Amino acid sequence: MGLIGAIALTTSACGGSSAPKTGGTTPGGSSFNAAATSIVNPSTKKGGTLKLWSTQDVDSLDPAIGYYAFVWDLQRFYTRTLVQYPSKPGKDGLVLQPDLAQAMPTITNDGKTYTFKLKSGLKFQDGTPITSKDIKYGIERVFAQDVLPNGPIYLLSDLDEGQKYPGPYKDKDPAGLKSVQTPDDSTIVFNLAQANSDFLNHLAMGGAAPVEQSKDDGANYAKHPVSSGPYEVENYVANKGFDMVRNPNWDQSTDSLRTALPDKITFTVTSNADDLDSRLLDGSIDLDAGQRGVQTAAQGKILTNPSLKADTVDAPAATIRYISIQTKVAPFDNVDCRKAVEYAISGSDQQTARGGKWAGALATNMLPPSIPGSDNYDPYNLAAGQPQIAQAKAELAKCGKPNGFSTTIAARSTSPKDVKQAVAAQAALKAVGINADIFQYDGSQSGSTVGSPDVMHSKNIGLNVFGWGSDYPTGSGMLSVLIDGRLITKSGNNNFTEVNDPQINGWIDDAAKATDPAVAAADYTKINHRVMDLALYFPGVVEQSLNYYNPRLTNVYFNQQLGMIDFSTLGLSDGK
C-alpha cells in the first residue's frame, strides 16, 4: 500500500496518539523526529502553494543531468520512470514498484534481458502519448556526454555492448542504441552487456525518464523539461528559481505513487541561509529544499522551544560528508602524505562545523551503517574524533615532507557548512605543517569545477569538501561512482580522488554479477576497507540534518532513498 492508500486508511481507521512506529502514521500533529519513521499529519486535502527555498540552485532540471538529491526529489513532481521508489517511510520505501510500467519486468537470458510493458493512457504535458520509443530516446540522451554531461552514467556501462553509441545528436544509425529495443509502442526490451543486480535501480533515475524527441533542444532542454508527471515547470531563471503548476494531461489513475496535492509549487534561490531559516520559523515558507539542516542561530531557537522542535526531523541518512584526497595532485600521489591528512584532521571539529551532534555521528569509513556491507573498520582511529599529531608527522616524514607542504581545499560557497568544514580542516592541517588555502565556488557549478580533473590539477586542489548520498541502497549505489576508475570523466566527475585501482574495479564487477545480495555486500566490505587503506577519503560525518518544516504541511515523512523529506507527497492543511 502506497502513501495514498496509507492516508486513506489512517484517516478512516486510526485514532489516538501513540508513539510513532516505523511505516506508520502520526495524525493530528507532530513530535520531534516523528517524520523519521512515520507519516506526519496524513491528509488527502488538495490545494494551495507549496513554498520551497534553497541556498543553492538546481544543478539541472534536465532529468539526464540532475544529480543532487534535492533535485531528484524535485524530479518526482515532473518525471516518471518505468520503476520508482514508493512513497513510504522506512525500508518499505526502498522496494521498487512499477511506475510507467504495468508490472515489474520479465527477466530472461541469465539476468541480461529485461522486458517491460507500459501502462495505457500515459501522456506528456502537451497531450502526446508516451511510448516505449520516448523512454528509449531519453536513455539515448544519457550517452551524449559531450552535450549533456555531469549526470549519472550507470546506464552507459549497463547498455554499451561495444557499439560505442555517441548519443542521439550524433547518431547516424536508424536503429539507435541497439541494446534497447522497442518492438511496439508499449514494449521495451533491454539487453545488458552483462547481468547487473543493480540495473532496476539505474532505471529509477531521471536519465531513464521519457523525453519527447521533437521537444528536445539538447543543452537548453533543462530550461523547459517536458513533464511526464503531475506538474510542469514554468518560468525557470537560473539562480532565481521557478514554478511548477499542474500538468493537465497527467492522469491519477495511471499513477499510484504520487498524490499531487498542491495546486502550485514555487522554488526560490537565496544567498542568505539565516534569512531562509527565519522565514521557515515565521511560517512564510514551508521547507528548505536543500535539506542540509538549519544554521546555528535557528538551531538554538528550535532546540530550546518544544513547539518548534516538534516540527523537525533529524534522521540518519545514507550520506557521508567527507573530504576527498586527490591522488593526481602532488604530494597526494604518495599514500603516506594522504595518511597524514587522515591523522591530522579532527573529526570532532568536522562534526561541530556541520552543527554538532545533530549533524550526525563520526564516520570511520565510507559506508554508512544503513548500507549493506558496512562495518566498523577504523584504521586511523577516527572514532576518537581527535587529531593525532604524532602519527600525522610520522606519515609526513615517510612521504618525504617532514616540514609539511602547501595545498588547496575546495568548498562550495553555497553551503556554509562545507565552508566551515574547510576552515576546521585548514586549522588542523596547519598544526602539522600543511598550509591549505580555501577555494570557494558556486555549488551549482560543481560538475565543471571540482568535477573537472583539469580544473582540480590547475588549481592545485588536493582536498575537496563534499557529500555523497547513496544513489540507491546498496554498496554500489554508495561507493562505485566515487571509486571506480573507469567512470572518471572530463566534466561531472565524482571520483574526485581519481583512483583507478584494478583490485577495486575487479571487486566492483564481482559485486555487480552477484545474484545474492549478501555476496555483493561482502564485496563492498572489501572495497570499503581498501578505500580506507589507500587513504582516499577522510570520511567525516554520517549525515543527519536538523530540518524544520512548516506545521501546515501534511504527509511529511523522511524518504530513506533520498535521505530527506519526500517533496512529492506534501500537502497544505490550510489549502493556501
Side-chain angles (χ1 to χ4, degrees), residues 4 80 99 119 229-230 250-258:
I4 297 173
R80 296 180 66 182
D99 187 2
K119 294 174 181 174
W250 172 75
D251 186 346
Q252 176 78 77
S253 69
T254 70
D255 193 342
S256 62
L257 302 180
R258 297 166 184 83

Side-chain angles (χ1 to χ4, degrees), residues 9 36 89 291 374 437 501 539:
L9 178 61
Q291 292 284 282
S374 174
D437 293 327
D501 180 73

